[in-house]
Amino acid sequence: MDTRHVRRRGRGEDLEELMIDDFRETAYNDAELSDAGDMKPARSVEGFHWDIWLLMTLQNWIFDFGRPIAALMVPTELFPMHLPSVGDYFHMMYNLITPFCILKLFERSHTKTSSTFRNICVIIFVMGASIHLVGDSVNHRLVKLGYKLHLSVRDNPMMQSLQPRGLVDSFVLLYNYDEIIGHLMWYIPFFVSLLLYYTGCFLGYRSGDHPRRTLSWWTLTVLSGVYYWYLVTEGQIFSVYFITFVVMIGYMVYKKQKHNAHLDINGQFLLYSFALCFILILIWVAYLWNDEALRVKYPGLLYIPEPWSYYTLYIKP
């Protein structure tokens, strides 16, 4: 019997077994990242995502909050009424940077969700924000011509004198695309995306992920919370925000009781920002609760006036 032949066969079998084990490990790793509907464990990413949160907060303040301010303050000669304004370009930048930040957050999440569902959320978000871009662009031009934001479309003096009267219906349609359809398609997937990311911000107490909350972290949290107050009040999306906030708190309690898990520093950033937003909304509503002029546009118990309506009523000369 040829012993050398036997030894060669043994080495070949060992090599074959190693190749099979390597193939199985690769297939298992690919399956973890597959496009499945269930939440599946991914690699642990520790630390606060300063690059993403700082970029997202700054662009929110500059390109979203600062957009109507820039559109009103920049001289009309530089951006004629028949061309996109500086506010429109701000809106375009927002529509590009925000979905980019959301996708980067998904990449760094502790858990992976269905890529199909994530992509659908981002696509609807971009579509809704783009619809809002067009309606908001026309709306700010109307403000420069004397349009009153604290009044409804039909109650505005410039609309009451518009001829033929059928044009008023066109502006009502534009308002619906801007303030209703655009906002819902913009904000619902936005908050759903944040909620999906938030559900992946939980770690076991022995994970070692307990970074300190520094002064710069608290400053960024306050800036984020104040922006969300503006987003919710101006966008008239309190219901969407409040449902998201309640689910976040409920999910945190569930994870702590059932899985002994705690929020990481990124989840705390989101939760504290939303909590500050809620406090500011309560103060805002209490301050304007007895305002008769704003009550005309915002009837009912869910009374949350828009900051820009307050501006055109009391601040704008």
Side-chain angles (χ1 to χ4, degrees), residues 44 46 203-210 262:
S44 176
E46 299 183 356
L203 298 172
Y205 277 95
R206 296 182 180 180
S207 64
D209 183 22
H210 297 84
H262 74 284

Side-chain angles (χ1 to χ4, degrees), residues 1-284:
M1 180 176 181
D2 192 349
T3 57
R4 290 177 299 172
H5 180 64
V6 172
R7 284 196 296 270
R8 277 195 222 93
R9 288 177 57 194
R11 287 196 298 270
E13 290 173 354
D14 291 341
L15 179 60
E16 182 179 358
E17 290 179 359
L18 288 173
M19 293 177 64
I20 293 175
D21 291 341
D22 181 67
F23 173 78
R24 288 174 176 172
E25 181 179 358
T26 303
Y28 175 77
N29 292 335
D30 290 342
E32 282 186 320
L33 301 177
S34 65
D35 183 14
D38 296 331
M39 306 273 293
K40 297 186 177 180
R43 63 186 182 91
S44 176
V45 184
E46 299 183 356
F48 186 63
H49 306 322
W50 274 105
D51 52 346
I52 300 178
W53 293 123
L54 183 60
L55 173 62
M56 196 167 181
T57 302
L58 289 178
Q59 71 95 22
N60 283 338
W61 276 99
I62 296 172
F63 295 128
D64 191 21
F65 177 80
R67 168 172 46 83
I69 299 175
L72 293 176
M73 293 186 63
V74 174
T76 308
E77 294 76 17
L78 298 178
F79 295 91
M81 298 283 281
H82 65 284
L83 295 176
S85 68
V86 61
D88 297 340
Y89 291 113
F90 276 29
H91 208 318
M92 295 176 193
M93 292 300 299
Y94 174 89
N95 291 4
L96 292 174
I97 297 176
T98 302
F100 169 78
C101 292
I102 291 175
L103 291 174
K104 297 303 292 184
L105 286 175
F106 282 137
E107 288 181 5
R108 299 189 188 183
S109 175
H110 297 302
T111 57
K112 296 297 181 183
T113 56
S114 168
S115 61
T116 301
F117 185 73
R118 297 198 308 264
N119 293 337
I120 290 175
C121 285
V122 173
I123 290 171
I124 297 176
F125 167 86
V126 174
M127 184 176 179
S130 300
I131 292 174
H132 181 268
L133 189 160
V134 177
D136 202 57
S137 177
V138 177
N139 187 57
H140 284 296
R141 282 157 176 75
L142 293 176
V143 171
K144 287 186 176 183
L145 298 175
Y147 186 84
K148 305 297 182 182
L149 290 176
H150 64 279
L151 298 176
S152 66
V153 176
R154 298 186 187 276
D155 292 337
N156 261 268
M158 65 183 306
M159 294 296 170
Q160 292 178 353
S161 60
L162 190 63
Q163 295 294 333
R165 295 301 299 167
L167 286 177
V168 178
D169 293 332
S170 299
F171 282 99
V172 172
L173 176 62
L174 180 67
Y175 175 87
N176 290 332
Y177 270 115
D178 178 16
E179 299 294 331
I180 300 177
I181 300 175
H183 280 188
L184 292 178
M185 293 183 64
W186 175 1
Y187 294 128
I188 290 179
F190 175 74
F191 281 101
V192 168
S193 297
L194 291 181
L195 181 61
L196 283 177
Y197 171 76
Y198 174 85
T199 57
C201 292
F202 289 87
L203 298 172
Y205 277 95
R206 296 182 180 180
S207 64
D209 183 22
H210 297 84
R212 295 179 57 188
R213 295 188 288 270
T214 62
L215 178 61
S216 56
W217 184 90
W218 282 110
T219 302
L220 191 64
T221 302
V222 171
L223 289 174
S224 178
V226 175
Y227 168 75
Y228 284 128
W229 162 81
Y230 170 77
L231 184 73
V232 172
T233 54
E234 185 63 30
Q236 294 292 285
I237 51 164
F238 178 79
S239 299
V240 178
Y241 151 77
F242 187 70
I243 292 173
T244 306
F245 186 40
V246 170
V247 173
M248 289 170 66
I249 296 176
Y251 192 75
M252 179 187 65
V253 174
Y254 166 77
K255 292 292 287 186
K256 185 175 182 179
Q257 292 182 348
K258 297 295 184 180
H259 302 281
N260 196 28
H262 74 284
L263 267 177
D264 69 3
I265 194 70
N266 296 285
Q268 294 174 27
F269 173 78
L270 267 179
L271 186 64
Y272 292 178
S273 297
F274 275 44
L276 176 59
C277 170
F278 185 71
I279 294 173
L280 293 175
I281 291 174
L282 293 180
I283 296 174
W284 174 254

